[in-house]
Amino acid sequence: MKQLWILAGATALLTFGSCTSNANKQMESKDSSSTEITDTNTVDTTHTSQNSLDWAGTYSGVFPCADCPGIKTTVTLNSDETFTYEGEYQERDTKIEDTGKFMWHDNGSVVHLVGKEVNMKLKVGENQLFSLDQDGKPIDGPLKDNYILKKVTQ
């Protein structure tokens, strides 16, 4: 009977030891996988909108307007870093046209249009421009999808 207790105790120790070993292996696996996740979250500074996207072209859309149905907006970005801007207030006799140079900000992901009438920042995406607020932050709220200009020509 004494041998049976010794055998049961030895089996329990082996079982517990293998569980602990498996738990350690799982912890090591989790540690290495979390390192991998952290490594994939690094910022890629070599591929930006400026050097990776075909951003030159004409973009168009209708921005919301406080006292009219909308502002039909057309922006052309040229490869020599110049732009043209047209903003036509719908159901009004008001049109703003401007030209000028633009600058790249945020490591080549945002263009800043500066002209006589226009001072706006746009985040450059794949075939679209996202209007940013005066602080350079994305526009938020229920109308945020109305502040996107879609590419219409190359």
Side-chain angles (χ1 to χ4, degrees), residues 6-46:
I6 292 173
L7 183 61
T11 304
L13 282 174
L14 285 175
T15 303
F16 178 73
S18 66
C19 288
T20 304
S21 176
N22 284 340
N24 287 339
K25 286 179 186 175
Q26 287 177 347
M27 289 298 287
E28 288 170 8
S29 174
K30 284 182 183 177
D31 288 344
S32 66
S33 66
S34 68
T35 302
E36 290 172 17
I37 290 171
T38 303
D39 291 342
T40 60
N41 287 334
T42 59
V43 176
D44 183 1
T45 57
T46 57

Side-chain angles (χ1 to χ4, degrees), residues 65 67-72 88-95:
C65 178
D67 58 354
C68 72
I71 306 167
K72 183 175 186 240
E88 184 177 346
Y89 289 75
Q90 296 175 337
E91 295 183 8
R92 283 198 187 170
D93 196 17
T94 305
K95 188 173 187 178

